[in-house]
Structures are given as structure tokens and as C-alpha cells.
Amino acid sequence: HLLEACKKRLEDLGIDQIFLYQLHGPGSNCPFEESIEALAELKQKGLVKYLGLSNVSLEQLNQAQAVTRIESVQNCFNLYSTEDLTNGLIKACEAQRVTYIANSPVGSRPKHVDMTKGELLQKLSLKYKVSSYQVLLAWVLHLSKNMIAISGSTRVESAEDSPKAMGLSLEKEDLFLLDKFSLKGGLV
């Protein structure tokens, strides 16, 4: 199935090779190992340059790495979803030089609205004179040198605001407070 899907994407895009091809979660219809072997075949055939995984565990990353080189892992990660920080996946990605892509770094609807209204985030956004979203993104980005964040935007203002987080350096005590609240999984 992956071979046909990849060929269709190549045809639709009018290109010979996809730069990064990600398996968007282990499927229930096909064993994970078979999917990884199919990805490796796509890479061997030159149809894709790099391979990535989404919605996977540390065990699955290690399984995949035993078959073929994985360049990225894209999982949900934000103040509400920090499992990959505590279960070792982010550290493993760093050690294996795998880019960790934080999906929904400011939370998914409707939590992102709730999250940005929390008292701590309001104080920090006032302190740094930036949006709550920038504070959240800056916190995510500080966690690992191999971490990038993809935040969806439905408004032009948000699309222009989010990249500014890359230049925001939060003070140690503020990072500590965000870390502390994230591990509780509560509103900040």
C-alpha cells in the first residue's frame, strides 16, 4: 500500500523524489515491521530521500532504526502532552540525531485557547511583551536541540507571530515554572 501511495504522491506533485516521507502512525491493518520494511524499500528505490515517523513510541523508533535510518519523529507535544519528555523518546531522538517535531505545540483545540489564558502564561507574555503562543513555543524549543515545532495557524497574525518564538529566550526561573506545570499536566 505504501508503494502505491508514494508513487501516486510523486505523480500528483510531478516530482521524482519526496524529500521527507513520514509514516503517519502505525496502522492497525498492517504490522508495524512491514510498514517500516516498505519505507526502507521506498528509500532504496530512490523514491524518497529521508524517512520519518509520526505518533510512535520509543520502542517503535528503535524497531524502525534497526531496519532503516529514521530522520524525524512527529508526535503531539505541548504543556498537556509531555509523555515523550518523561518516557525518554525526546532524549533518544537527540542521542540518535533524529529531529523531534512537536505537533500541536500550543495545544489542540479547544485546549490551546484555555492554555493561553492561564495566569502564568499571561504573566510571562506581559513580562516578555510577546504573545502567550510565543511563550509556549519558546518553552517547547528550549527542551532539545533536536526539537522543532509546527504550529498550525488559521489567522495571518498567528502565522506571523509564531516564528518570533525562535528569538525568544526565557529566563531559567520561567522555564522551570513552565516545566513544573507541564509535568502536572495542568493549566498554567
Side-chain angles (χ1 to χ4, degrees):
H1 170 255
L2 284 173
L3 181 60
E4 294 90 33
C6 182
K7 285 182 177 178
K8 174 92 171 88
R9 297 288 181 280
L10 289 166
E11 185 181 312
D12 291 347
L13 295 169
I15 57 175
D16 296 325
Q17 186 181 58
I18 294 173
F19 186 74
L20 175 64
Y21 199 72
Q22 292 200 155
L23 178 66
H24 285 276
S28 56
N29 297 338
C30 179
F32 184 69
E33 300 80 22
E34 286 181 30
S35 295
I36 298 306
E37 289 168 6
L39 288 175
E41 184 180 341
L42 294 175
K43 187 174 177 182
Q44 280 181 318
K45 289 182 177 193
L47 300 175
V48 300
K49 186 166 186 169
Y50 300 111
L51 300 172
L53 303 172
S54 295
N55 305 309
V56 293
S57 66
L58 174 57
E59 180 184 342
Q60 289 167 323
L61 171 62
N62 290 334
Q63 263 183 296
Q65 288 281 52
V67 175
T68 187
R69 170 74 183 147
I70 300 299
E71 298 293 338
S72 66
V73 168
Q74 178 181 324
N75 283 359
C76 180
F77 185 87
N78 55 55
L79 283 171
Y80 284 105
S81 300
T82 59
E83 296 83 19
D84 290 347
L85 192 60
T86 55
N87 69 18
L89 182 59
I90 291 173
K91 287 289 181 200
C93 285
E94 197 170 300
Q96 296 175 33
R97 299 184 63 190
V98 171
T99 300
Y100 183 94
I101 304 169
N103 189 17
S104 302
V106 296
S108 54
R109 290 184 178 224
K111 288 183 179 179
H112 77 281
V113 174
D114 294 341
M115 203 181 298
T116 59
K117 291 181 180 177
E119 185 180 336
L120 176 59
L121 278 174
Q122 291 296 310
K123 285 181 183 178
L124 293 176
S125 68
L126 286 172
K127 175 180 178 177
Y128 292 99
K129 298 180 173 87
V130 299
S131 69
S132 300
Y133 294 105
Q134 281 188 47
V135 172
L136 286 169
L137 290 168
W139 171 74
V140 166
L141 294 173
H142 103 277
L143 294 169
S144 170
K145 63 183 178 185
N146 282 37
M147 176 109 56
I148 61 173
I150 52 171
S151 60
S153 297
T154 55
R155 299 174 323 148
V156 171
E157 298 84 22
S158 298
E160 293 173 345
D161 183 64
S162 293
K164 294 175 185 173
M166 292 186 296
L168 177 59
S169 294
L170 301 173
E171 294 175 7
K172 277 186 181 181
E173 57 270 12
D174 296 330
L175 292 170
F176 174 78
L177 289 172
L178 289 166
D179 289 345
K180 181 178 164 186
F181 281 104
S182 75
L183 294 174
K184 289 181 181 178
L187 286 175
V188 294

